[in-house]
Amino acid sequence: MTRTVYEKTDVIPLVAEALRDLGYEGASFSRITERTALGKGSLYHFFPGGKEEMAAEVLAHVDAWFATNVFRPLEEDEPQAAIAHMLTAVDDYFRSGQRICLVGSFALDATRDRFVGAIQRYFVRWISALCGALKRTGKDADTAKHLAEDAVLAIQGALVLTRATMDNALFSRALKRIAISLGVPSAIKTQRRQTKT
Amino acid sequence: MTRTVYEKTDVIPLVAEALRDLGYEGASFSRITERTALGKGSLYHFFPGGKEEMAAEVLAHVDAWFATNVFRPLEEDEPQAAIAHMLTAVDDYFRSGQRICLVGSFALDATRDRFVGAIQRYFVRWISALCGALKRTGKDADTAKHLAEDAVLAIQGALVLTRATMDNALFSRALKRIAISLGVPSAIKTQRRQTKT
DNA sequence: GTCTATACAGTGATAGAC
DNA sequence: GTCTATCACTGTATAGAC
């Protein structure tokens, strides 16, 4: 029997993927074990607080990723470039719609109430970071606010629809339209046809 | 002890609300009983197939509501009016963002795989009905397709964000922008301020 | 159509051996 | 850091009395 030894840094992404796919309620220890090959012993070793602690740390991990790769650039870097970078980062992170947003999925059911703070902070910061960047490109406050809100909302909606319709191209199509509305039309490349020329 | 007697017609909306709030995995019989005051006996009487049958019937019920109030009007009525009507119907149905979309929430986790067909049909029909109506207003096929996709996706995203940010006005704001993009700007009324004049 | 009792598998959680 | 055994409890499901 092969026995793999992990560190916490390795464990969180594995658990995150299980929670993302199964949802908080659907993610039982046995199912997490199936997907991650981490036994109950290991799981409780890393997360003595059980499932709730697991989910809290996973949320923090997601938030940290977005803070580094999306929020901070939007808040501090040259806005045009940061907005374009947000779109490619989002496309990568959500694997062009094949992966869903863990935070968004937690928001939809009663799980939200366990993690209200983290969930609220994530989206509020995303919208206001994007709004700030848009203002720095010269948009007025009102326009910036609603463009930012619409962009984040469209990303979430596109993730829902991609999974629901099984139309894998939907997410990229939506992202391209978001790019246009945010004034960075070239940020998302048109999917190239597989032709021989 | 008060003993209420139900018919199936009364039962489905109750169960639907429980599933909507708790999600498929989160909705255990004991929790459904808490919310609906329907005992396990009654539940199994109406849905001999257990939870899976409950959810399937609830999905069919939601789909029927949308078919009558949204899809068919879009497919058959005067397009401008049908689109405007869709927006007010959606605003009412989702209680201005206080209620989520059961079909969308099922799409996000592993529950989707149990009900792929129903979930896919719901969204595909919604988008194509709206797309058809837009074409009848004179839009070209491409524009109609992407406007329809964006509108449905924005509704789903707005539901996620409203619950996540706890900003109850977000949904109405988003709906108003959707109304504008669909060419029926007056469909959603601006929320009136409570002033004395 | 509803209630109660009961089944038995799966749940989150703990303790201790390795 | 991982494994196994075991805990009390909740899960879905069934049967039969009312």
Side-chain angles (χ1 to χ4, degrees):
Chain A
M1 184 156 185
T2 18
R3 205 183 112 117
T4 326
V5 175
Y6 291 98
E7 289 177 23
K8 193 155 187 179
T9 335
D10 312 318
V11 166
I12 289 184
L14 291 172
V15 173
E17 232 45 46
L19 279 170
R20 197 193 299 279
D21 291 350
L22 302 165
Y24 185 79
E25 295 287 351
S28 65
F29 278 88
S30 72
R31 287 206 261 233
I32 297 173
T33 297
E34 279 174 27
R35 304 213 171 199
T36 63
L38 283 151
K40 226 185 287 205
S42 310
L43 257 7
Y44 274 100
H45 170 72
F46 291 116
F47 312 102
K51 251 178 82 164
E52 182 132 9
E53 186 178 341
M54 281 175 39
E57 293 220 34
V58 163
L59 277 175
H61 180 256
V62 171
D63 192 73
W65 191 94
F66 274 83
T68 307
N69 295 281
V70 177
F71 306 157
R72 245 190 298 277
L74 286 171
E75 286 156 357
E76 296 168 8
D77 296 356
E78 193 277 309
Q80 198 90 6
I83 294 169
H85 178 257
M86 171 188 100
L87 293 167
T88 56
V90 161
D91 196 26
D92 287 356
Y93 186 84
F94 295 118
R95 310 267 153 74
S96 300
Q98 298 309 109
R99 223 183 177 197
I100 63 146
C101 177
L102 185 101
V103 193
S105 86
F106 277 15
L108 282 184
D109 62 26
T111 310
R112 182 196 58 172
D113 304 327
R114 286 177 191 264
F115 305 106
V116 229
I119 294 170
Q120 202 175 11
R121 262 179 274 120
Y122 170 86
F123 283 113
V124 167
R125 184 168 178 198
W126 191 349
I127 294 169
S128 77
L130 179 54
C131 177
L134 286 166
K135 280 193 226 161
R136 278 182 282 129
T137 69
K139 312 265 185 207
D140 68 274
D142 262 30
T143 313
K145 169 97 188 292
H146 90 236
L147 280 175
E149 214 165 74
D150 273 353
V152 176
L153 146 183
I155 291 166
Q156 295 298 311
L159 293 171
V160 173
L161 277 204
T162 302
R163 261 192 78 86
T165 61
M166 322 258 277
D167 175 352
N168 296 145
L170 193 151
F171 190 75
S172 304
R173 279 203 300 277
L175 256 197
K176 260 178 45 191
R177 298 195 291 264
I178 295 167
I180 293 166
S181 80
L182 296 177
V184 290
S186 56
I188 301 292
K189 292 144 282 303
T190 314
Q191 203 137 326
R192 260 176 286 264
R193 293 249 177 69
Q194 290 186 311
T195 50
K196 280 169 186 164
T197 35
Chain B
M1 185 156 183
T2 18
R3 205 184 111 116
T4 325
V5 175
Y6 292 98
E7 290 177 22
K8 194 154 185 178
T9 335
D10 311 317
V11 166
I12 289 184
L14 290 172
V15 173
E17 233 44 45
L19 278 170
R20 196 193 300 278
D21 290 351
L22 301 165
Y24 184 79
E25 294 288 350
S28 64
F29 278 88
S30 71
R31 287 207 260 233
I32 296 173
T33 297
E34 279 174 28
R35 305 213 171 199
T36 62
L38 284 151
K40 225 185 290 207
S42 310
L43 258 6
Y44 273 100
H45 170 71
F46 292 116
F47 311 103
K51 251 178 79 164
E52 182 132 9
E53 187 179 340
M54 280 176 39
E57 292 219 34
V58 163
L59 277 175
H61 180 257
V62 171
D63 192 74
W65 191 95
F66 274 83
T68 307
N69 294 280
V70 177
F71 305 157
R72 246 191 298 275
L74 285 172
E75 286 157 357
E76 297 168 6
D77 297 356
E78 193 277 309
Q80 198 90 5
I83 294 169
H85 178 257
M86 171 187 100
L87 293 168
T88 57
V90 160
D91 196 24
D92 286 356
Y93 186 84
F94 295 119
R95 311 266 152 74
S96 300
Q98 297 307 110
R99 224 182 175 200
I100 63 145
C101 177
L102 185 102
V103 192
S105 86
F106 278 16
L108 282 183
D109 61 28
T111 310
R112 182 196 58 173
D113 304 327
R114 286 177 191 264
F115 305 106
V116 230
I119 293 171
Q120 202 174 10
R121 263 178 272 119
Y122 170 86
F123 283 114
V124 167
R125 184 167 177 200
W126 190 351
I127 294 169
S128 77
L130 179 55
C131 177
L134 286 165
K135 280 193 225 160
R136 279 180 283 129
T137 69
K139 313 266 185 207
D140 68 272
D142 261 29
T143 313
K145 168 96 188 291
H146 90 236
L147 280 176
E149 214 166 75
D150 272 352
V152 176
L153 146 184
I155 291 167
Q156 295 298 311
L159 293 171
V160 173
L161 277 205
T162 302
R163 260 193 78 85
T165 61
M166 320 261 276
D167 176 351
N168 296 145
L170 193 151
F171 190 75
S172 305
R173 277 203 301 278
L175 257 197
K176 262 179 42 192
R177 298 195 290 265
I178 295 168
I180 293 167
S181 81
L182 296 179
V184 289
S186 56
I188 299 294
K189 292 144 286 300
T190 315
Q191 204 138 326
R192 260 177 285 262
R193 292 251 176 70
Q194 292 185 309
T195 50
K196 284 170 188 165
T197 36

